[in-house]
Amino acid sequence: MKHDPHWYKADIVGMHWDSIARRYVEHDTLSQETFGELAECRTAGAEKAECSLPANDNSTRRGDFMQTYTARQFWPLDARPDEVHIEDIAHSLSLQCRYAGHCKRFYSVAEHSVLIANWIWWHGSVADALVGLLHDATEAYLVDMPRPVKRSMHEYRLHEAALWKVIAERFGLPEDMPAVVHEADNRIIADELVNMAPMAWHAKYDDPLGVELQFWTPDEAEENFLKTFVQLQNMTAPANDDHYPQHDREASAADRAYQMAKEDAV
């Protein structure tokens, strides 16, 4: 759907900015701006293989899909557990910088997650460490949102909560994050402040975890994230494999094979 680039001028007069924002959302131009005209992709068939849809009917799903790193379709507003893949999460988080990039050196969400997982693994349970590793997994699909902004974005937080439930189901995690994960996520800020210019607000974060930032490259962060995931998942897998869901067994095998292939390539 094409819009007159000057449509907003007539709307601004006498209208509150929130109303303008809502009207823009109701036009639902996001998919066109991000992915092009999806309607054209859907009708192009074999002419545009990159736009092809899976055999199952996704026409009733909420919102539109995004392409993931592994060239899969993912509906962030209508996600399904079997469409969540650890490779996509690890890669995306390895390329996202903490604090919206307002730091001295590149420091990824993936490294942040591994540091938290390792700290919990040392001080708590393996199961909680796996939650710690994946506590920001929603950001692979919704991006990392600075805390001051997230607090005022009610709808974003609703989508984030819904997506976490899907991710939790996919990896057999609790819907409610353990207290130790929240603790680690808050306390690690004190450790991370070494990567930011000094300011007065830093004083309130005076209880660090005691971890040391490594400033991994994206490739290193992705590799370490996947390696930690495989180790923790293998340690938390049920002893009786007959009760382990088939799609989880297949995904675990694929994840292990993926990691081994990366290590062999080094």
Side-chain angles (χ1 to χ4, degrees), residues 117-151:
N118 287 338
W119 184 87
I120 295 176
W121 192 353
W122 183 257
H123 294 85
S125 70
V126 173
D128 287 346
L130 184 56
V131 180
L133 181 69
L134 293 171
H135 77 283
D136 280 337
T138 57
E139 295 176 6
Y141 308 102
L142 300 178
V143 306
D144 184 14
M145 184 72 65
R147 287 189 181 189
V149 179
K150 185 185 292 188
R151 293 190 187 104

Side-chain angles (χ1 to χ4, degrees), residues 105-118:
R105 298 176 60 184
F106 177 79
Y107 169 60
S108 69
V109 177
E111 180 177 340
H112 161 84
S113 301
V114 172
L115 293 177
I116 283 180
N118 287 338

Side-chain angles (χ1 to χ4, degrees), residues 94-247:
S94 75
L95 291 170
Q96 295 191 51
C97 189
R98 287 274 287 170
Y99 302 101
H102 294 282
C103 39
K104 298 176 182 178
R105 298 176 60 184
F106 177 79
Y107 169 60
S108 69
V109 177
E111 180 177 340
H112 161 84
S113 301
V114 172
L115 293 177
I116 283 180
N118 287 338
W119 184 87
I120 295 176
W121 192 353
W122 183 257
H123 294 85
S125 70
V126 173
D128 287 346
L130 184 56
V131 180
L133 181 69
L134 293 171
H135 77 283
D136 280 337
T138 57
E139 295 176 6
Y141 308 102
L142 300 178
V143 306
D144 184 14
M145 184 72 65
R147 287 189 181 189
V149 179
K150 185 185 292 188
R151 293 190 187 104
S152 64
M153 298 185 69
H154 177 67
E155 188 169 356
Y156 175 95
R157 288 186 284 117
L158 290 177
H159 292 315
E160 181 182 45
L163 182 53
W164 168 253
K165 290 182 179 180
V166 173
I167 293 172
E169 180 179 349
R170 170 68 180 83
F171 296 114
L173 307 177
E175 290 187 1
D176 295 327
M177 288 192 188
V180 66
V181 176
H182 291 294
E183 175 193 351
D185 196 29
N186 283 315
R187 288 178 57 192
I188 198 173
I189 293 175
D191 302 277
E192 295 171 341
L193 290 176
V194 299
N195 195 32
M196 302 182 76
M199 288 187 70
W201 67 269
H202 296 186
K204 69 179 182 179
Y205 291 97
D206 57 358
D207 187 20
L209 294 180
V211 300
E212 183 177 353
L213 276 59
Q214 303 299 309
F215 304 109
W216 291 325
T217 65
D219 286 344
E220 291 172 331
E222 180 179 356
E223 179 180 358
N224 288 326
F225 187 99
L226 287 169
K227 184 180 297 184
T228 304
F229 172 80
V230 171
Q231 291 173 331
L232 293 175
Q233 191 182 56
N234 287 344
M235 294 175 69
T236 57
N240 186 351
D241 198 53
D242 291 337
H243 295 286
Y244 200 34
Q246 177 65 26
H247 71 274

